[in-house]
Amino acid sequence: ALRTPLQGTALSRPTHSERTRETAIMKKAYGLIVALILLAPIALNNARAQDTLRAAAVVNDDVISVLDLSLRTRLAIASIGAKDSPEIRQRLTPQVLRALIDERLQLQEAKRLSLEPTEQEVEEAFAAIAQGNNMSPEQFTEVLRQNNVLPTAVKDQARAELAWRGVVERRIRWQITISNEQIGAEIERLKGQDGQLQYRIAELFLSVDNPGDEARVSENIARLADEIRKGTPFQAVAKQFSQSSTASVGGDLGWVTLDQIDPAVARAVQGLQKNGLAGPIRGTAGYYIVGLIDQRTFRLGEQLIDTRAIALPVRPGTSAEVIEQRMAQLAAIQPRIESCTNLQTLAKEAGEDALIIAVVCGRDSSGIDRKRVEERLVQEQIELRARRYLRDLRRSADLDIRI
């Protein structure tokens, strides 16, 4: 009969030398096991590090890493005021990646044209963003770190915006001229709107550059619409993700008539109540989410003035000395008024009704200003051509999305 190697030796006793050799082998094996256990966290951390450095996408040989994508997604989540979770990351990541791809294309084009912003310009932009959040750059940096966002994520976004602004100014703006005939035709069109309804609309727009993008863009904007309906502020989401020029003002398109906007959007707006939301809507060039902020009847010659004030309390019977003190206090406040935003902060310091500083924060004239008409026509042309420019960059790019 066949025997295994152990058969016939099970009852034999090992010699001293055999026991010594086995003991040595066991010690080596034990040492190896301990080493493997100790090295396991290092190997795991190395694996994680390698994963964050792998490519999420490659844009003309320029790599967007998983780390780049993760940092920007965290920034987007913090910017819209949402709570970080795997679910929201999954919803926002596709559109964040698309934004990063566009930024790489913009930076590459700026580099080709020798229009890259300087580091000083980027730092100044970062400081302006901090100021817009009522913080110093140092305070803003600390808030970013508390949200697990590196300041470089904000600076990279600002760098791309500055770069693209330079490209548009160099390649598009100088080419645009608006003729007197165009201005005159627009003025006649506006005169024909007297008595018609105007709508103040907020928009979020994602373009569809070719048929192959249809499904992806549709899914992305549906995720954004869900996020807004769950309570995330429209303005914050539009600032982060909209591809319209109105993104910088949170999607606010201003006062328009229905014939000035995409027909599909116009139909949706007509069915909205104030503060209502519609979308996604498939328009001519892409998908929209729109909100109706307000509506009014357009009247030529009317002017609406937005005024705000600081008031200091002076009650009946107040002495002349106290009144002089209040006047001095107002005089001290006046030079500190920089905008209507900081006026509200200063007003909180002041108190209640009485002596008043009033500030005109804006005028909305329904009268027709020829210069304003020309500026709007120029801006419309800049936006249209810039969108086409970026579309052409996308179409000609060597793009490899790997996640």
Side-chain angles (χ1 to χ4, degrees), residues 92-158:
L92 297 184
T93 293
Q95 189 52 38
V96 171
L97 180 58
R98 179 172 183 174
L100 283 171
I101 290 170
D102 283 352
E103 287 177 16
R104 294 302 169 95
L105 292 170
Q106 292 167 345
L107 287 165
Q108 289 168 5
E109 185 67 359
K111 184 177 181 179
R112 186 182 73 83
L113 298 171
S114 301
L115 294 172
E116 296 170 286
T118 65
E119 288 303 316
Q120 181 178 349
E121 288 172 329
V122 173
E123 291 298 330
E124 288 173 355
F126 182 79
I129 295 169
Q131 185 178 9
N133 287 277
N134 299 315
M135 302 179 201
S136 68
E138 295 75 19
Q139 291 170 327
F140 187 48
T141 297
E142 182 57 31
V143 169
L144 290 173
R145 293 190 191 283
Q146 290 171 4
N147 286 277
N148 297 315
V149 177
L150 294 178
T152 52
V154 178
K155 292 179 182 180
D156 287 346
Q157 192 174 24

Side-chain angles (χ1 to χ4, degrees), residues 263-330:
V265 173
R267 288 192 294 271
V269 168
Q270 282 183 297
L272 288 178
Q273 299 294 323
K274 185 176 178 180
N275 298 321
L277 185 74
I281 303 160
R282 183 58 165 101
T284 304
Y287 284 90
Y288 292 86
I289 304 169
V290 294
L292 178 60
I293 301 171
D294 204 353
Q295 67 182 52
R296 70 183 183 188
T297 301
F298 178 75
R299 296 292 184 191
L300 287 172
E302 288 184 355
Q303 187 177 72
L304 302 176
I305 301 177
D306 177 14
T307 60
R308 300 176 196 175
I310 295 175
L312 293 179
V314 177
R315 296 179 175 81
T318 302
S319 67
E321 182 181 358
V322 171
I323 292 176
E324 286 181 8
Q325 290 175 355
R326 294 286 187 266
M327 292 291 291
Q329 189 177 353
L330 283 174

Side-chain angles (χ1 to χ4, degrees), residues 87 91 223-232:
E87 181 187 3
R91 286 203 301 270
R223 291 189 183 100
L224 296 178
D226 287 344
E227 201 58 43
I228 294 169
R229 288 190 170 96
K230 288 179 179 178
T232 303

